[in-house]
Amino acid sequence: MDFRELCTTVEKMGLMKANISFFVALLFHILVLDIASWLTLMYFGTSLLPFVASLVLLTISQVQAAWLQHDLGHLSVFQKAKWNHLLHKFVMCHLIGASAKWWTLLHSQHHAKPNCYSKDPDMDIHPFLFTLGRSLSVELGKKKIKYMPYNYQQKYFFITMPPLLFPVFFHYHTFYIAFKKKFWADLVWQSSHFIRLYFVQAYLLGPMGFMLYYVLFRMLESSWFVWVSQMSHIPMNIDYDKNLDWVSTQLEATCNVHQSFFNDWFTGHLNFQIEHQ
């Protein structure tokens, strides 16, 4: 009853109404950075300095697009769901190159049972790459199960999870689910992303140069995304589903990060993770 009263109060204050101008500006700065990434190569050539500058611009554009698609995927931008879905496909599929329905499927499971092992897909890295949570780690120790040298995971984390999540796992998984679930519209939108890159960056860089460029910006994007997405969940309690009420489950599994103008922009406002849940 307290939670419902709080929701009613927040809605009456107008805090649940999206500022459309903010999201238009967000999309505009994403598109400007995207265009600037290939204009840099076009006008300054493909030597080291323009190559790095273009790489940084595209990485920032891609990560900010990831934060925007997150809000669109939650249907929190427009009042009409169909406009959220349409722009979500444009941002997620065309700008980023992943399936919008794939993201919705996994992210819905995450929100239903955050940090609940075997129910939250974000926890699937346990125990194959890392051991997560105190109780799950103790369980592995008692069963003498060891897939990896977990006592060194704080050292190999930096060269595995952050740089490889997008270039390796996400690329495979988004297309696998899209084909398996027959998300044909998403696959067409995704194809447009790679066609655009081919006729823009690949045309200027050549096949080998573009492959290096593509892998590097995906690795940078992946590292940025991992640090932001994990800092609000991994430090919290991770365990099997204890069948707690929904509000308690969200609060036990999430935490906020200090608010500042930079943090808001860098995290796509996911530093307000508790409110977001």
Side-chain angles (χ1 to χ4, degrees), residues 112-124:
K113 295 290 183 179
N115 281 19
C116 293
Y117 177 58
S118 80
K119 292 188 176 181
D120 179 359
D122 289 1
M123 299 297 111
D124 286 348

Side-chain angles (χ1 to χ4, degrees), residues 35-233:
I35 294 170
S37 70
W38 65 265
L39 286 179
T40 300
L41 295 173
M42 180 178 289
Y43 284 98
F44 298 102
T46 57
S47 58
L48 180 61
L49 189 58
F51 183 90
V52 172
S54 175
L55 202 65
V56 171
L57 289 168
L58 186 58
T59 299
I60 297 173
S61 175
Q62 287 286 298
V63 174
Q64 291 299 315
W67 307 148
L68 175 58
Q69 73 80 26
H70 177 271
D71 290 321
L72 292 164
H74 276 291
L75 311 180
S76 58
V77 177
F78 301 103
Q79 291 186 348
K80 291 186 178 181
K82 68 177 182 180
W83 290 109
N84 286 293
H85 286 305
L86 182 60
L87 193 56
H88 188 215
K89 285 192 184 298
F90 171 73
V91 175
M92 188 62 168
C93 300
H94 178 68
L95 292 183
I96 298 176
S99 168
K101 287 188 175 181
W102 160 80
W103 179 88
T104 302
L105 179 66
L106 268 64
H107 202 65
S108 297
Q109 295 174 41
H110 160 70
H111 272 288
K113 295 290 183 179
N115 281 19
C116 293
Y117 177 58
S118 80
K119 292 188 176 181
D120 179 359
D122 289 1
M123 299 297 111
D124 286 348
I125 55 175
H126 174 90
F128 304 107
L129 286 176
F130 309 101
T131 175
L132 302 177
R134 184 181 298 273
S135 60
L136 295 178
S137 301
V138 170
E139 179 186 65
L140 287 180
K142 289 179 178 179
K143 292 182 178 179
K144 299 185 187 232
I145 297 175
K146 194 171 185 180
Y147 294 94
M148 296 286 284
Y150 302 124
N151 50 318
Y152 296 109
Q153 68 179 22
Q154 76 277 10
K155 297 183 183 298
Y156 67 75
F157 171 80
F158 297 96
I159 58 172
T160 53
M161 184 74 171
L164 299 179
L165 183 65
F166 275 27
V168 179
F169 177 74
F170 273 8
H171 268 70
Y172 154 76
H173 201 254
T174 187
F175 280 100
Y176 170 74
I177 295 297
F179 275 107
K180 183 178 180 180
K181 300 289 186 180
K182 299 180 180 179
F183 299 152
W184 305 126
D186 279 24
L187 286 168
V188 172
W189 277 89
Q190 287 175 259
S191 299
S192 70
H193 167 80
F194 294 99
I195 292 171
R196 177 173 61 90
L197 285 180
Y198 175 80
F199 283 105
V200 179
Q201 275 89 347
Y203 175 77
L204 297 170
L205 292 167
M208 295 303 295
F210 174 70
M211 287 301 298
L212 176 63
Y213 181 88
Y214 187 82
V215 171
L216 286 175
F217 97 74
R218 287 299 186 195
M219 289 178 67
L220 291 171
E221 174 192 18
S222 182
S223 298
W224 186 340
F225 174 84
V226 167
W227 286 112
V228 171
S229 62
Q230 300 307 309
M231 67 185 178
S232 299
H233 290 287

Side-chain angles (χ1 to χ4, degrees), residues 2-15:
D2 291 340
F3 183 73
R4 289 176 180 175
E5 183 180 349
L6 175 62
C7 285
T8 302
T9 303
V10 168
E11 288 175 355
K12 286 182 178 179
M13 293 173 65
L15 298 178

Side-chain angles (χ1 to χ4, degrees), residues 22 29 64 257-269 271-272:
F22 168 80
H29 108 287
Q64 291 299 315
V257 176
H258 181 70
Q259 189 273 331
S260 69
F261 178 82
F262 175 78
N263 278 358
D264 292 350
W265 173 83
F266 187 82
T267 65
H269 292 89
N271 50 328
F272 295 97

